[in-house]
């Protein structure tokens, strides 16, 4: 198998597949490392009604399967393995994927361009689990943090969710929806759901909101939103769908009827495997891209590539970059941008 690929894409959500489709059509012969549980957050949703092109909506899993099929049909090669580390040897990036990796040590000690430190790694082939490429697109996504409450596994996607903005219209005419969290996301999710459900209750664990004052003020004016402070959900009840939430309200435990419950307590970008690689992450672990990613005068060209990470030749797209919008269509658009940026970069810099 050809060990010198032009482009490796890491991820398997809308950004990764869109990048793969564009890169394949540009004849970059991309290799997509999907992760061992491919598909990203859309695999956890049911019907997606806000992805353009599907008048009747589309199931999240079907959308992901269709994108993968399209990428493969255009010529992308796909490996269902996790990427576990990224480094540079000479002018090549190498991505180690899950599975045993042996005999990586060498005595030549080349410099790792990501960390400026000597590296002991030596490229191996795809069969040997270490893949080399001239450019890399990181599209590993992010996962919503949940509380792992009793009943959560059973009811996830059945009244319990992590994106109220995505699912709000399903709650048209429903009685009560709970939102857990006190940050900006909780406020936005609550105001979106309040357009559809009769009552929205925000459960805040402390005595105050963390949300920015301007957003917090906005919901004061919304009649059908209540905020319960010092309140925490402790169990989700229901057989086939969510029916009740058990809540500890300032020390008093009661069950309350519920049609929906959404977590808005933050997201974790899937970038832990990049820590120590030299790629710039922000304080919350999101990959820094574009002009902000330029850390020194070694990579002046990165400013011309909006999706470039802090290392020239590495690009990033989707929810591992975007903590604000977190929408499938935004991720897909960013995947397209990253593929076009990578294509231009390869044309300009590949010897
Ligand atoms: P935040 O980290 O800002 O807020 C998380 C909230 O969840 C906090 O209120 C926190 O409580 C609460 N929380 C955390 N863990 C638990 C738990 N175990 N049980 C109960 N509650 C818990 O995350 P957001 O997703 O709200 O925002 C992330 C970033 O995105 C922020 O920078 C935000 O400003 C930005 N954003 C901006 C928007 C906009 O400008 N329109 C919209 C959405 C997000 P506590 O306060 O007690 O720690």
């Amino acid at each position: 198998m050809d060990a010198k690929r032009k482009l490796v894409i890491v991820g398997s959500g809308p950004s990764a597949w869109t990048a793969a489709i564009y890169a394949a059509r540009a004849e970059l012969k991309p290799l997509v490392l999907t992760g061992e549980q491919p598909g990203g957050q859309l695999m956890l949703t049911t019907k997606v009604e806000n992805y353009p092109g599907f008048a009747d909506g589309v199931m999240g899993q079907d959308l992901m399967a269709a994108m993968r099929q399209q990428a493969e049909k255009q010529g992308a090669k796909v490996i269902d393995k996790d990427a576990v580390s990224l480094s540079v040897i000479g002018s090549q990036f190498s991505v180690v994927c899950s599975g045993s990796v042996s005999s990586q040590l060498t005595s030549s000690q080349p410099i790792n361009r990501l960390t400026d430190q000597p590296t002991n790694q030596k490229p191996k082939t795809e069969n040997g689990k270490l893949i080399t490429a001239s450019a890399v697109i990181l599209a590993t996504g992010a996962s919503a943090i949940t509380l792992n409450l009793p009943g959560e596994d059973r009811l996830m996607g059945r009244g319990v969710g992590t994106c109220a903005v995505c699912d709000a219209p399903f709650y048209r005419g429903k009685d009560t929806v709970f939102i857990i969290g006190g940050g900006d996301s909780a406020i936005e999710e609550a105001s979106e759901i309040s357009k559809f459900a009769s009552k929205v209750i925000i459960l805040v664990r402390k005595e105050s909101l963390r949300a920015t004052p301007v957003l917090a003020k906005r919901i004061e004016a919304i009649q059908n939103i209540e905020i319960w402070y010092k309140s925490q959900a402790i169990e989700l009840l229901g057989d086939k769908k969510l029916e009740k939430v058990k809540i500890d309200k300032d020390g008093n435990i009661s069950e309350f009827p519920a049609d929906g419950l959404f977590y808005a307590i933050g997201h974790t970008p899937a970038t832990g495997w990049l820590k120590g690689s030299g790629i710039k992450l922000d304080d919350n672990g999101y990959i820094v891209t574009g002009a902000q990613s330029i850390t020194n005068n070694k990579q002046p060209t990165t400013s011309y590539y909006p999706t470039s990470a802090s290392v020239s030749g590495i690009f990033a797209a989707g929810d591992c970059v975007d903590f604000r919008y977190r929408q499938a269509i935004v991720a897909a658009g960013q995947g397209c941008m990253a593929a076009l940026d990578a294509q231009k970069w390869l044309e300009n810099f590949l010897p």
Side-chain angles (χ1 to χ4, degrees):
M1 195 169 295
D2 178 16
K4 286 187 184 170
R5 290 197 167 262
K6 281 189 179 160
L7 179 65
V8 167
I9 298 167
V10 188
S12 54
S15 52
W17 293 127
T18 306
I21 291 163
Y22 273 77
R25 288 176 57 75
E27 300 191 328
L28 297 179
K29 299 193 173 79
L31 172 73
V32 185
L33 267 179
T34 63
E36 287 179 6
Q37 292 179 317
Q41 291 193 80
L42 284 186
M43 302 301 273
L44 303 175
T45 24
T46 48
K47 206 170 192 185
V48 180
E49 289 193 331
N50 56 7
Y51 199 88
F54 300 91
D56 298 320
V58 56
M59 297 303 280
Q61 297 190 3
D62 293 345
L63 183 59
M64 287 302 88
M67 285 191 190
R68 176 179 180 144
Q69 204 181 4
Q70 190 176 353
E72 287 182 306
K73 203 169 167 189
Q74 297 291 345
K77 180 175 161 50
V78 179
I79 299 181
D80 293 321
K81 292 280 182 194
D82 285 333
V84 294
S85 73
L86 172 64
S87 58
V88 179
I89 298 154
S91 61
Q92 296 277 304
F93 296 107
S94 59
V95 179
V96 178
C97 61
S98 52
S100 61
V101 181
S102 58
S103 56
Q104 285 179 37
L105 298 180
T106 173
S107 56
S108 60
Q109 292 244 319
I111 295 296
N112 181 333
R113 192 148 54 98
L114 294 169
T115 59
D116 281 340
Q117 298 297 317
T119 175
N120 282 332
Q121 279 191 316
K122 176 180 161 190
K124 285 191 65 189
T125 65
E126 284 162 28
N127 290 332
K129 312 288 188 204
L130 197 149
I131 297 158
T132 60
S134 303
V136 178
I137 295 177
L138 303 169
T140 46
S143 49
I145 300 169
T146 70
L147 293 177
N148 294 317
L149 296 176
E152 182 180 303
D153 280 351
R154 185 177 70 253
L155 298 168
M156 185 56 77
R158 298 183 165 89
V160 177
T162 54
C163 183
V165 171
C166 316
D167 293 348
F170 295 126
Y171 291 88
R172 190 186 300 278
K174 301 286 186 195
D175 287 332
T176 308
V177 176
F178 288 90
I179 307 283
I180 300 180
D184 288 345
S185 297
I187 300 302
E188 286 214 329
E189 309 261 293
S191 50
E192 196 56 33
I193 287 272
S194 72
K195 297 172 191 161
F196 300 93
S198 305
K199 195 199 299 183
V200 180
I201 299 168
I202 306 178
L203 299 178
V204 181
R205 65 178 171 179
K206 290 187 187 153
E207 283 174 323
S208 59
L209 292 172
R210 185 193 291 197
T212 45
V214 65
L215 283 182
K217 213 164 181 157
R218 188 193 295 172
I219 54 161
E220 279 174 16
I222 303 176
Q223 300 294 321
N224 62 337
I225 297 182
E226 290 178 19
I227 303 178
W228 293 1
Y229 292 101
K230 294 169 82 176
S231 298
Q232 298 222 57
I234 52 176
E235 188 173 352
L236 308 177
L237 304 160
D239 186 14
K240 294 210 166 89
K241 65 177 187 57
L242 180 71
E243 286 164 13
K244 288 180 185 172
V245 183
K246 192 184 277 185
I247 294 171
D248 179 340
K249 206 176 168 195
D250 202 6
N252 299 312
I253 296 175
S254 310
E255 291 176 7
F256 296 89
D259 296 291
L261 176 140
F262 289 91
Y263 290 107
I265 58 173
H267 285 73
T268 309
T271 56
W273 67 288
L274 295 172
K275 283 190 183 127
S277 71
I279 293 177
K280 190 173 170 188
L281 306 176
D282 72 10
D283 290 346
N284 296 316
Y286 289 89
I287 300 168
V288 178
T289 54
Q292 288 171 322
S293 71
I294 301 170
T295 50
N296 56 47
N297 59 10
K298 282 186 182 170
Q299 297 111 22
T301 53
T302 51
S303 60
Y304 298 108
Y305 302 97
T307 63
S308 175
S310 60
V311 173
S312 187
I314 296 190
F315 303 85
D319 286 11
C320 60
V321 175
D322 167 31
F323 55 83
R324 180 172 287 263
Y325 302 104
R326 298 192 197 106
Q327 300 300 305
I329 188 64
V330 175
Q334 291 182 351
C336 163
M337 290 165 65
L340 294 176
D341 283 352
Q343 183 188 351
K344 260 284 171 270
W345 184 88
L346 285 164
E347 282 167 11
N348 287 338
F349 294 101
L350 202 61

